[in-house]
Amino acid sequence: MKRYRVMYRATENVNSEVARTEEVYADGWRVDTDKVVLYRSAAGADDTPVFDVPKSRVVRIQEIRG
């Protein structure tokens, strides 16, 4: 399991200075049609979404090592 820091805007306003940061434990992340999804994988099962946010709001996704 990896730890990710996800920074995203609280609103759809691109000029908004208000950004939120969440730290999420997940196995990976992917971009779906309209959102970014962080997920956990299980052997022989489908991915389980842990966190999602509309892709228009995402500022940065950073893997935290250490």
PDB file of all heavy atoms in Angstrom, residues 21-51:
ATOM      1  N   THR A  21      -6.108  19.377   0.940  1.00  0.00           N
ATOM      2  CA  THR A  21      -5.117  18.320   0.821  1.00  0.00           C
ATOM      3  C   THR A  21      -5.582  17.127   1.645  1.00  0.00           C
ATOM      4  O   THR A  21      -5.964  17.286   2.799  1.00  0.00           O
ATOM      5  CB  THR A  21      -3.740  18.791   1.331  1.00  0.00           C
ATOM      6  OG1 THR A  21      -3.349  19.948   0.583  1.00  0.00           O
ATOM      7  CG2 THR A  21      -2.694  17.711   1.162  1.00  0.00           C
ATOM      8  N   GLU A  22      -5.568  15.962   1.027  1.00  0.00           N
ATOM      9  CA  GLU A  22      -5.934  14.716   1.703  1.00  0.00           C
ATOM     10  C   GLU A  22      -4.772  13.744   1.552  1.00  0.00           C
ATOM     11  O   GLU A  22      -4.150  13.679   0.491  1.00  0.00           O
ATOM     12  CB  GLU A  22      -7.176  14.094   1.065  1.00  0.00           C
ATOM     13  CG  GLU A  22      -8.414  14.938   1.118  1.00  0.00           C
ATOM     14  CD  GLU A  22      -9.136  14.843   2.440  1.00  0.00           C
ATOM     15  OE1 GLU A  22      -8.926  13.855   3.172  1.00  0.00           O
ATOM     16  OE2 GLU A  22      -9.901  15.766   2.736  1.00  0.00           O
ATOM     17  N   GLU A  23      -4.490  12.996   2.597  1.00  0.00           N
ATOM     18  CA  GLU A  23      -3.518  11.909   2.505  1.00  0.00           C
ATOM     19  C   GLU A  23      -4.308  10.614   2.490  1.00  0.00           C
ATOM     20  O   GLU A  23      -5.140  10.362   3.364  1.00  0.00           O
ATOM     21  CB  GLU A  23      -2.530  11.948   3.651  1.00  0.00           C
ATOM     22  CG  GLU A  23      -1.553  13.087   3.497  1.00  0.00           C
ATOM     23  CD  GLU A  23      -0.363  12.991   4.426  1.00  0.00           C
ATOM     24  OE1 GLU A  23      -0.189  11.960   5.106  1.00  0.00           O
ATOM     25  OE2 GLU A  23       0.402  13.968   4.456  1.00  0.00           O
ATOM     26  N   VAL A  24      -4.054   9.798   1.461  1.00  0.00           N
ATOM     27  CA  VAL A  24      -4.846   8.604   1.214  1.00  0.00           C
ATOM     28  C   VAL A  24      -3.917   7.411   1.048  1.00  0.00           C
ATOM     29  O   VAL A  24      -2.897   7.507   0.362  1.00  0.00           O
ATOM     30  CB  VAL A  24      -5.688   8.774  -0.077  1.00  0.00           C
ATOM     31  CG1 VAL A  24      -6.525   7.551  -0.351  1.00  0.00           C
ATOM     32  CG2 VAL A  24      -6.556  10.021   0.003  1.00  0.00           C
ATOM     33  N   TYR A  25      -4.259   6.305   1.681  1.00  0.00           N
ATOM     34  CA  TYR A  25      -3.537   5.051   1.481  1.00  0.00           C
ATOM     35  C   TYR A  25      -4.244   4.275   0.378  1.00  0.00           C
ATOM     36  O   TYR A  25      -5.441   3.982   0.489  1.00  0.00           O
ATOM     37  CB  TYR A  25      -3.498   4.228   2.768  1.00  0.00           C
ATOM     38  CG  TYR A  25      -2.554   4.793   3.786  1.00  0.00           C
ATOM     39  CD1 TYR A  25      -3.007   5.697   4.742  1.00  0.00           C
ATOM     40  CD2 TYR A  25      -1.210   4.454   3.780  1.00  0.00           C
ATOM     41  CE1 TYR A  25      -2.138   6.237   5.686  1.00  0.00           C
ATOM     42  CE2 TYR A  25      -0.331   4.992   4.716  1.00  0.00           C
ATOM     43  CZ  TYR A  25      -0.809   5.869   5.660  1.00  0.00           C
ATOM     44  OH  TYR A  25       0.052   6.405   6.582  1.00  0.00           O
ATOM     45  N   ALA A  26      -3.514   3.954  -0.690  1.00  0.00           N
ATOM     46  CA  ALA A  26      -4.097   3.256  -1.829  1.00  0.00           C
ATOM     47  C   ALA A  26      -3.000   2.488  -2.552  1.00  0.00           C
ATOM     48  O   ALA A  26      -1.807   2.732  -2.350  1.00  0.00           O
ATOM     49  CB  ALA A  26      -4.766   4.249  -2.771  1.00  0.00           C
ATOM     50  N   ASP A  27      -3.409   1.564  -3.411  1.00  0.00           N
ATOM     51  CA  ASP A  27      -2.446   0.810  -4.214  1.00  0.00           C
ATOM     52  C   ASP A  27      -2.087   1.540  -5.502  1.00  0.00           C
ATOM     53  O   ASP A  27      -1.040   1.304  -6.084  1.00  0.00           O
ATOM     54  CB  ASP A  27      -3.005  -0.577  -4.549  1.00  0.00           C
ATOM     55  CG  ASP A  27      -3.083  -1.463  -3.326  1.00  0.00           C
ATOM     56  OD1 ASP A  27      -2.154  -1.419  -2.502  1.00  0.00           O
ATOM     57  OD2 ASP A  27      -4.086  -2.192  -3.184  1.00  0.00           O
ATOM     58  N   GLY A  28      -2.955   2.419  -5.963  1.00  0.00           N
ATOM     59  CA  GLY A  28      -2.685   3.164  -7.183  1.00  0.00           C
ATOM     60  C   GLY A  28      -3.793   4.155  -7.453  1.00  0.00           C
ATOM     61  O   GLY A  28      -4.739   4.293  -6.679  1.00  0.00           O
ATOM     62  N   TRP A  29      -3.674   4.837  -8.599  1.00  0.00           N
ATOM     63  CA  TRP A  29      -4.697   5.785  -9.001  1.00  0.00           C
ATOM     64  C   TRP A  29      -4.855   5.745 -10.502  1.00  0.00           C
ATOM     65  O   TRP A  29      -3.972   5.297 -11.222  1.00  0.00           O
ATOM     66  CB  TRP A  29      -4.411   7.196  -8.499  1.00  0.00           C
ATOM     67  CG  TRP A  29      -3.162   7.837  -9.006  1.00  0.00           C
ATOM     68  CD1 TRP A  29      -1.899   7.689  -8.509  1.00  0.00           C
ATOM     69  CD2 TRP A  29      -3.050   8.724 -10.112  1.00  0.00           C
ATOM     70  NE1 TRP A  29      -1.018   8.429  -9.230  1.00  0.00           N
ATOM     71  CE2 TRP A  29      -1.695   9.084 -10.231  1.00  0.00           C
ATOM     72  CE3 TRP A  29      -3.963   9.253 -11.017  1.00  0.00           C
ATOM     73  CZ2 TRP A  29      -1.233   9.937 -11.228  1.00  0.00           C
ATOM     74  CZ3 TRP A  29      -3.496  10.114 -11.994  1.00  0.00           C
ATOM     75  CH2 TRP A  29      -2.153  10.455 -12.083  1.00  0.00           C
ATOM     76  N   ARG A  30      -6.029   6.160 -10.965  1.00  0.00           N
ATOM     77  CA  ARG A  30      -6.308   6.186 -12.403  1.00  0.00           C
ATOM     78  C   ARG A  30      -7.252   7.343 -12.702  1.00  0.00           C
ATOM     79  O   ARG A  30      -7.920   7.859 -11.811  1.00  0.00           O
ATOM     80  CB  ARG A  30      -6.922   4.869 -12.854  1.00  0.00           C
ATOM     81  CG  ARG A  30      -8.293   4.604 -12.303  1.00  0.00           C
ATOM     82  CD  ARG A  30      -8.926   3.346 -12.898  1.00  0.00           C
ATOM     83  NE  ARG A  30     -10.236   3.140 -12.323  1.00  0.00           N
ATOM     84  CZ  ARG A  30     -10.493   2.338 -11.301  1.00  0.00           C
ATOM     85  NH1 ARG A  30      -9.518   1.651 -10.733  1.00  0.00           N
ATOM     86  NH2 ARG A  30     -11.714   2.219 -10.844  1.00  0.00           N
ATOM     87  N   VAL A  31      -7.306   7.707 -13.974  1.00  0.00           N
ATOM     88  CA  VAL A  31      -8.219   8.754 -14.422  1.00  0.00           C
ATOM     89  C   VAL A  31      -9.352   8.075 -15.172  1.00  0.00           C
ATOM     90  O   VAL A  31      -9.125   7.397 -16.172  1.00  0.00           O
ATOM     91  CB  VAL A  31      -7.502   9.767 -15.336  1.00  0.00           C
ATOM     92  CG1 VAL A  31      -8.481  10.818 -15.830  1.00  0.00           C
ATOM     93  CG2 VAL A  31      -6.337  10.416 -14.616  1.00  0.00           C
ATOM     94  N   ASP A  32     -10.565   8.207 -14.660  1.00  0.00           N
ATOM     95  CA  ASP A  32     -11.753   7.733 -15.354  1.00  0.00           C
ATOM     96  C   ASP A  32     -12.265   8.863 -16.233  1.00  0.00           C
ATOM     97  O   ASP A  32     -11.640   9.909 -16.337  1.00  0.00           O
ATOM     98  CB  ASP A  32     -12.824   7.288 -14.356  1.00  0.00           C
ATOM     99  CG  ASP A  32     -12.480   5.949 -13.706  1.00  0.00           C
ATOM    100  OD1 ASP A  32     -11.576   5.249 -14.194  1.00  0.00           O
ATOM    101  OD2 ASP A  32     -13.132   5.609 -12.700  1.00  0.00           O
ATOM    102  N   THR A  33     -13.412   8.687 -16.822  1.00  0.00           N
ATOM    103  CA  THR A  33     -13.968   9.680 -17.743  1.00  0.00           C
ATOM    104  C   THR A  33     -14.050  11.071 -17.138  1.00  0.00           C
ATOM    105  O   THR A  33     -13.635  12.045 -17.745  1.00  0.00           O
ATOM    106  CB  THR A  33     -15.369   9.242 -18.205  1.00  0.00           C
ATOM    107  OG1 THR A  33     -15.280   7.935 -18.759  1.00  0.00           O
ATOM    108  CG2 THR A  33     -15.932  10.198 -19.219  1.00  0.00           C
ATOM    109  N   ASP A  34     -14.570  11.174 -15.929  1.00  0.00           N
ATOM    110  CA  ASP A  34     -14.794  12.497 -15.347  1.00  0.00           C
ATOM    111  C   ASP A  34     -14.198  12.665 -13.952  1.00  0.00           C
ATOM    112  O   ASP A  34     -14.418  13.683 -13.309  1.00  0.00           O
ATOM    113  CB  ASP A  34     -16.283  12.804 -15.296  1.00  0.00           C
ATOM    114  CG  ASP A  34     -17.056  11.781 -14.473  1.00  0.00           C
ATOM    115  OD1 ASP A  34     -16.497  10.704 -14.186  1.00  0.00           O
ATOM    116  OD2 ASP A  34     -18.211  12.053 -14.128  1.00  0.00           O
ATOM    117  N   LYS A  35     -13.459  11.666 -13.461  1.00  0.00           N
ATOM    118  CA  LYS A  35     -12.895  11.789 -12.121  1.00  0.00           C
ATOM    119  C   LYS A  35     -11.580  11.030 -11.997  1.00  0.00           C
ATOM    120  O   LYS A  35     -11.265  10.171 -12.798  1.00  0.00           O
ATOM    121  CB  LYS A  35     -13.889  11.297 -11.066  1.00  0.00           C
ATOM    122  CG  LYS A  35     -14.290   9.862 -11.230  1.00  0.00           C
ATOM    123  CD  LYS A  35     -15.366   9.501 -10.229  1.00  0.00           C
ATOM    124  CE  LYS A  35     -15.897   8.111 -10.510  1.00  0.00           C
ATOM    125  NZ  LYS A  35     -16.942   7.735  -9.587  1.00  0.00           N
ATOM    126  N   VAL A  36     -10.837  11.390 -10.971  1.00  0.00           N
ATOM    127  CA  VAL A  36      -9.598  10.703 -10.616  1.00  0.00           C
ATOM    128  C   VAL A  36      -9.939   9.806  -9.427  1.00  0.00           C
ATOM    129  O   VAL A  36     -10.545  10.255  -8.462  1.00  0.00           O
ATOM    130  CB  VAL A  36      -8.496  11.708 -10.232  1.00  0.00           C
ATOM    131  CG1 VAL A  36      -7.260  10.994  -9.723  1.00  0.00           C
ATOM    132  CG2 VAL A  36      -8.158  12.586 -11.428  1.00  0.00           C
ATOM    133  N   VAL A  37      -9.554   8.535  -9.536  1.00  0.00           N
ATOM    134  CA  VAL A  37      -9.916   7.545  -8.523  1.00  0.00           C
ATOM    135  C   VAL A  37      -8.649   6.928  -7.938  1.00  0.00           C
ATOM    136  O   VAL A  37      -7.777   6.474  -8.671  1.00  0.00           O
ATOM    137  CB  VAL A  37     -10.776   6.416  -9.135  1.00  0.00           C
ATOM    138  CG1 VAL A  37     -11.118   5.365  -8.092  1.00  0.00           C
ATOM    139  CG2 VAL A  37     -12.032   6.975  -9.771  1.00  0.00           C
ATOM    140  N   LEU A  38      -8.538   6.937  -6.612  1.00  0.00           N
ATOM    141  CA  LEU A  38      -7.496   6.182  -5.920  1.00  0.00           C
ATOM    142  C   LEU A  38      -8.149   4.903  -5.443  1.00  0.00           C
ATOM    143  O   LEU A  38      -9.284   4.926  -4.953  1.00  0.00           O
ATOM    144  CB  LEU A  38      -6.935   6.967  -4.741  1.00  0.00           C
ATOM    145  CG  LEU A  38      -5.927   8.053  -5.135  1.00  0.00           C
ATOM    146  CD1 LEU A  38      -6.633   9.291  -5.623  1.00  0.00           C
ATOM    147  CD2 LEU A  38      -5.015   8.369  -3.991  1.00  0.00           C
ATOM    148  N   TYR A  39      -7.445   3.779  -5.592  1.00  0.00           N
ATOM    149  CA  TYR A  39      -8.086   2.494  -5.340  1.00  0.00           C
ATOM    150  C   TYR A  39      -7.161   1.532  -4.610  1.00  0.00           C
ATOM    151  O   TYR A  39      -5.952   1.704  -4.578  1.00  0.00           O
ATOM    152  CB  TYR A  39      -8.530   1.860  -6.663  1.00  0.00           C
ATOM    153  CG  TYR A  39      -7.386   1.598  -7.604  1.00  0.00           C
ATOM    154  CD1 TYR A  39      -6.670   0.407  -7.540  1.00  0.00           C
ATOM    155  CD2 TYR A  39      -6.990   2.543  -8.537  1.00  0.00           C
ATOM    156  CE1 TYR A  39      -5.596   0.180  -8.383  1.00  0.00           C
ATOM    157  CE2 TYR A  39      -5.926   2.328  -9.383  1.00  0.00           C
ATOM    158  CZ  TYR A  39      -5.235   1.127  -9.309  1.00  0.00           C
ATOM    159  OH  TYR A  39      -4.166   0.907 -10.144  1.00  0.00           O
ATOM    160  N   ARG A  40      -7.780   0.493  -4.041  1.00  0.00           N
ATOM    161  CA  ARG A  40      -7.066  -0.633  -3.438  1.00  0.00           C
ATOM    162  C   ARG A  40      -7.349  -1.858  -4.283  1.00  0.00           C
ATOM    163  O   ARG A  40      -8.463  -2.058  -4.756  1.00  0.00           O
ATOM    164  CB  ARG A  40      -7.537  -0.879  -2.013  1.00  0.00           C
ATOM    165  CG  ARG A  40      -7.091   0.204  -1.077  1.00  0.00           C
ATOM    166  CD  ARG A  40      -7.367  -0.143   0.359  1.00  0.00           C
ATOM    167  NE  ARG A  40      -6.959   0.985   1.197  1.00  0.00           N
ATOM    168  CZ  ARG A  40      -7.523   1.290   2.332  1.00  0.00           C
ATOM    169  NH1 ARG A  40      -8.502   0.552   2.806  1.00  0.00           N
ATOM    170  NH2 ARG A  40      -7.093   2.318   3.023  1.00  0.00           N
ATOM    171  N   SER A  41      -6.339  -2.680  -4.458  1.00  0.00           N
ATOM    172  CA  SER A  41      -6.480  -3.911  -5.230  1.00  0.00           C
ATOM    173  C   SER A  41      -6.477  -5.102  -4.294  1.00  0.00           C
ATOM    174  O   SER A  41      -5.770  -5.111  -3.292  1.00  0.00           O
ATOM    175  CB  SER A  41      -5.319  -4.063  -6.212  1.00  0.00           C
ATOM    176  OG  SER A  41      -5.324  -3.023  -7.143  1.00  0.00           O
ATOM    177  N   ALA A  42      -7.270  -6.101  -4.637  1.00  0.00           N
ATOM    178  CA  ALA A  42      -7.281  -7.354  -3.898  1.00  0.00           C
ATOM    179  C   ALA A  42      -7.081  -8.481  -4.902  1.00  0.00           C
ATOM    180  O   ALA A  42      -7.567  -8.401  -6.035  1.00  0.00           O
ATOM    181  CB  ALA A  42      -8.596  -7.521  -3.157  1.00  0.00           C
ATOM    182  N   ALA A  43      -6.376  -9.514  -4.500  1.00  0.00           N
ATOM    183  CA  ALA A  43      -6.102 -10.635  -5.390  1.00  0.00           C
ATOM    184  C   ALA A  43      -7.411 -11.270  -5.854  1.00  0.00           C
ATOM    185  O   ALA A  43      -8.250 -11.642  -5.042  1.00  0.00           O
ATOM    186  CB  ALA A  43      -5.233 -11.662  -4.681  1.00  0.00           C
ATOM    187  N   GLY A  44      -7.587 -11.349  -7.160  1.00  0.00           N
ATOM    188  CA  GLY A  44      -8.763 -11.991  -7.716  1.00  0.00           C
ATOM    189  C   GLY A  44     -10.044 -11.184  -7.619  1.00  0.00           C
ATOM    190  O   GLY A  44     -11.117 -11.698  -7.901  1.00  0.00           O
ATOM    191  N   ALA A  45      -9.968  -9.944  -7.230  1.00  0.00           N
ATOM    192  CA  ALA A  45     -11.169  -9.114  -7.105  1.00  0.00           C
ATOM    193  C   ALA A  45     -10.975  -7.808  -7.878  1.00  0.00           C
ATOM    194  O   ALA A  45      -9.865  -7.460  -8.267  1.00  0.00           O
ATOM    195  CB  ALA A  45     -11.447  -8.803  -5.641  1.00  0.00           C
ATOM    196  N   ASP A  46     -12.071  -7.110  -8.067  1.00  0.00           N
ATOM    197  CA  ASP A  46     -12.000  -5.807  -8.732  1.00  0.00           C
ATOM    198  C   ASP A  46     -11.378  -4.784  -7.800  1.00  0.00           C
ATOM    199  O   ASP A  46     -11.340  -4.962  -6.590  1.00  0.00           O
ATOM    200  CB  ASP A  46     -13.400  -5.334  -9.123  1.00  0.00           C
ATOM    201  CG  ASP A  46     -14.012  -6.202 -10.217  1.00  0.00           C
ATOM    202  OD1 ASP A  46     -13.245  -6.824 -10.979  1.00  0.00           O
ATOM    203  OD2 ASP A  46     -15.248  -6.256 -10.304  1.00  0.00           O
ATOM    204  N   ASP A  47     -10.894  -3.690  -8.388  1.00  0.00           N
ATOM    205  CA  ASP A  47     -10.354  -2.590  -7.586  1.00  0.00           C
ATOM    206  C   ASP A  47     -11.465  -1.971  -6.748  1.00  0.00           C
ATOM    207  O   ASP A  47     -12.596  -1.818  -7.199  1.00  0.00           O
ATOM    208  CB  ASP A  47      -9.756  -1.511  -8.492  1.00  0.00           C
ATOM    209  CG  ASP A  47      -8.561  -2.006  -9.269  1.00  0.00           C
ATOM    210  OD1 ASP A  47      -7.951  -3.006  -8.851  1.00  0.00           O
ATOM    211  OD2 ASP A  47      -8.236  -1.394 -10.301  1.00  0.00           O
ATOM    212  N   THR A  48     -11.120  -1.599  -5.516  1.00  0.00           N
ATOM    213  CA  THR A  48     -12.067  -0.957  -4.618  1.00  0.00           C
ATOM    214  C   THR A  48     -11.714   0.526  -4.508  1.00  0.00           C
ATOM    215  O   THR A  48     -10.633   0.860  -4.027  1.00  0.00           O
ATOM    216  CB  THR A  48     -12.001  -1.592  -3.213  1.00  0.00           C
ATOM    217  OG1 THR A  48     -12.239  -2.988  -3.328  1.00  0.00           O
ATOM    218  CG2 THR A  48     -13.022  -0.963  -2.285  1.00  0.00           C
ATOM    219  N   PRO A  49     -12.592   1.416  -4.972  1.00  0.00           N
ATOM    220  CA  PRO A  49     -12.308   2.850  -4.866  1.00  0.00           C
ATOM    221  C   PRO A  49     -12.180   3.276  -3.408  1.00  0.00           C
ATOM    222  O   PRO A  49     -12.958   2.859  -2.557  1.00  0.00           O
ATOM    223  CB  PRO A  49     -13.514   3.513  -5.516  1.00  0.00           C
ATOM    224  CG  PRO A  49     -14.145   2.448  -6.343  1.00  0.00           C
ATOM    225  CD  PRO A  49     -13.847   1.159  -5.657  1.00  0.00           C
ATOM    226  N   VAL A  50     -11.164   4.096  -3.124  1.00  0.00           N
ATOM    227  CA  VAL A  50     -10.928   4.595  -1.779  1.00  0.00           C
ATOM    228  C   VAL A  50     -11.237   6.093  -1.707  1.00  0.00           C
ATOM    229  O   VAL A  50     -11.738   6.588  -0.706  1.00  0.00           O
ATOM    230  CB  VAL A  50      -9.456   4.349  -1.369  1.00  0.00           C
ATOM    231  CG1 VAL A  50      -9.172   4.897   0.009  1.00  0.00           C
ATOM    232  CG2 VAL A  50      -9.117   2.884  -1.438  1.00  0.00           C
ATOM    233  N   PHE A  51     -10.939   6.790  -2.791  1.00  0.00           N
ATOM    234  CA  PHE A  51     -11.089   8.243  -2.825  1.00  0.00           C
ATOM    235  C   PHE A  51     -11.290   8.650  -4.266  1.00  0.00           C
ATOM    236  O   PHE A  51     -10.649   8.102  -5.162  1.00  0.00           O
ATOM    237  CB  PHE A  51      -9.821   8.890  -2.263  1.00  0.00           C
ATOM    238  CG  PHE A  51      -9.851  10.391  -2.222  1.00  0.00           C
ATOM    239  CD1 PHE A  51     -10.448  11.057  -1.172  1.00  0.00           C
ATOM    240  CD2 PHE A  51      -9.254  11.132  -3.224  1.00  0.00           C
ATOM    241  CE1 PHE A  51     -10.458  12.446  -1.124  1.00  0.00           C
ATOM    242  CE2 PHE A  51      -9.254  12.520  -3.186  1.00  0.00           C
ATOM    243  CZ  PHE A  51      -9.859  13.177  -2.136  1.00  0.00           C
TER     244      PHE A  51
END
